[in-house]
Amino acid sequence: MISDSGNSEILGKWQMVAAMTLSGTIGLFVMASGQPAMTVVLLRCLIGGISLLALLYWQGGWKNFNVAQVKWLLLGAAALIINWLCLFSAYKLSSISIATVVYHVQPFFLLILLAMTQKDGQIWRKLPFLLLAFAGVVFSSGLDVQHDFLRSADGHFSQVLAGAGLALLAALLYAFATLATRKLQGIAPAQIAGLQLLVGAVVLAPMADLSGWSWHWQSWGSLVLLGFVHTGLMYKLMYDAFQKLPATSIATLSFIYPLVALLVDVWFFSTVLSAVQLLGMAMILIAVLANQRDWNLLMLMRTLNLRNGIK
């Protein structure tokens, strides 16, 4: 029989898979909304935060914070907000492909932070599969290092480097936000996410430009879905998973997001994938499967050696 902790972890994995799948489709609805990125983020925070706290009120799950929990909540909110701002700035300074690849070093930052705080050497056991998934992100992104990054000849190198640096900072901040959420055990995920999103809405409100606001139904519909589904529901699933899963599962399953985003490009925007990009997608799938099946690289190597008659 599977223990309660085992059932909880299995549920957490599926919640993380669902959250990352939703995350990978965000770009489709952002484009459909036709609104500037800052406006989209502001309304995501506002609608998502209100919906989560309304759900919490209806369920009667509110719990008071102690002083330590308030500090972790505010630190997590600050990390999340600055992470968004850094990542959006990185898109403009470098490119989406460069920022996306650099941003996905965040699972490694998460492992480092947790290894430092938990002093658990077993955290590194699945590092090879994380490296495989990251290599898959690089390949599947279609990043051309020669063209996209090494552009010093036309004077853009410093700008690209600055964008990559901001994406790297965003990755570190996201990992810290994840760690802060894991510190809030016993607090409902809807309460944590709802409060952090409302903090984000208050901070981002002065920066948003609503002068080009569109009242078209497609714009409104996309923003409502982004707020309720891709923010409220997604963050509830994700924060719930954060509290149930070990660091290695959180780190590996986060790579589902770029995989789904690429599939959205193929399905809705007729993107044609190269052989290298298909290879990258396969690498991500293998890494995620290895995490789900709890594969151990050393055990796999020993099994292969035994099959080949090597002792």
Side-chain angles (χ1 to χ4, degrees):
M1 294 181 63
I2 301 176
S3 65
D4 289 342
S5 60
N7 284 327
S8 177
E9 185 171 334
I10 291 171
L11 177 60
K13 286 181 178 180
W14 284 112
Q15 288 173 322
M16 190 68 180
V17 168
M20 291 300 98
T21 300
L22 286 173
S23 183
T25 63
I26 286 174
L28 175 64
F29 291 92
V30 170
M31 294 189 66
S33 74
Q35 299 300 312
M38 192 64 70
T39 303
V40 173
V41 174
L42 170 62
L43 291 175
R44 280 188 67 196
C45 287
L46 190 61
I47 297 172
I50 291 174
S51 63
L52 283 170
L53 293 180
L55 174 64
L56 185 75
Y57 177 79
W58 178 69
Q59 293 178 333
W62 180 275
K63 290 187 179 180
N64 294 326
F65 292 97
N66 58 39
V67 175
Q69 288 172 330
V70 170
K71 290 179 180 178
W72 281 115
L73 179 78
L74 294 177
L75 285 172
L80 199 62
I81 295 161
I82 301 172
N83 150 73
W84 288 333
L85 296 176
C86 287
L87 189 59
F88 291 147
S89 298
Y91 287 155
K92 294 179 181 179
L93 288 171
S94 54
S95 68
I96 291 178
S97 58
I98 290 176
T100 298
V101 170
V102 174
Y103 185 65
H104 277 87
V105 303
Q106 59 90 4
F108 303 100
F109 282 139
L110 176 60
L111 284 186
I112 292 170
L113 288 172
L114 286 169
M116 291 171 59
T117 56
Q118 296 181 358
K119 296 181 173 59
D120 183 0
Q122 293 299 315
I123 283 177
W124 303 107
R125 187 167 58 90
K126 293 185 180 179
L127 182 61
F129 295 119
L130 285 175
L131 291 171
L132 178 66
F134 180 70
V137 172
V138 176
F139 289 163
S140 63
S141 70
L143 180 66
D144 185 339
V145 176
Q146 183 71 26
H147 177 266
D148 292 333
F149 197 79
L150 301 178
R151 298 187 293 177
S152 55
D154 59 7
H156 290 295
F157 180 73
S158 59
Q159 181 173 307
V160 173
L161 195 61
L166 282 173
L168 194 65
L169 178 58
L172 177 60
L173 289 167
Y174 183 82
F176 185 83
T178 304
L179 178 63
T181 302
R182 286 168 58 86
K183 293 288 186 181
L184 296 170
Q185 296 291 337
I187 304 296
Q191 184 174 343
I192 300 169
L195 289 174
Q196 288 185 338
L197 289 170
L198 287 185
V199 170
V202 171
V203 173
L204 295 174
M207 306 178 194
D209 181 10
L210 300 178
S211 59
W213 177 257
S214 171
W215 292 96
H216 191 272
W217 69 267
Q218 180 176 308
S219 179
W220 261 109
S222 298
L223 289 169
V224 168
L225 281 173
L226 282 168
F228 283 108
V229 179
H230 293 82
T231 305
L233 176 60
M234 188 191 79
Y235 270 81
K236 184 182 186 305
L237 290 169
M238 188 167 62
Y239 277 27
D240 206 1
F242 284 171
Q243 294 183 341
K244 293 174 182 174
L245 294 177
T248 50
S249 290
I250 295 172
T252 307
L253 292 174
S254 66
F255 284 104
I256 292 175
Y257 154 61
L259 179 63
V260 173
L262 188 60
L263 290 174
V264 167
D265 279 345
V266 172
W267 186 265
F268 291 96
F269 302 107
S270 303
T271 300
V272 179
L273 299 179
S274 66
V276 172
Q277 287 177 297
L278 290 172
L279 174 62
M281 293 173 68
M283 292 165 69
I284 296 172
L285 282 173
I286 292 171
V288 171
L289 180 63
N291 172 80
Q292 291 292 86
R293 296 296 182 89
D294 200 26
W295 290 349
N296 184 312
L297 188 61
L298 290 177
M299 290 177 62
L300 288 176
M301 292 176 65
R302 288 172 186 168
T303 301
L304 290 173
N305 288 338
L306 287 174
R307 288 180 178 177
N308 293 325
I310 302 174
K311 296 183 178 180

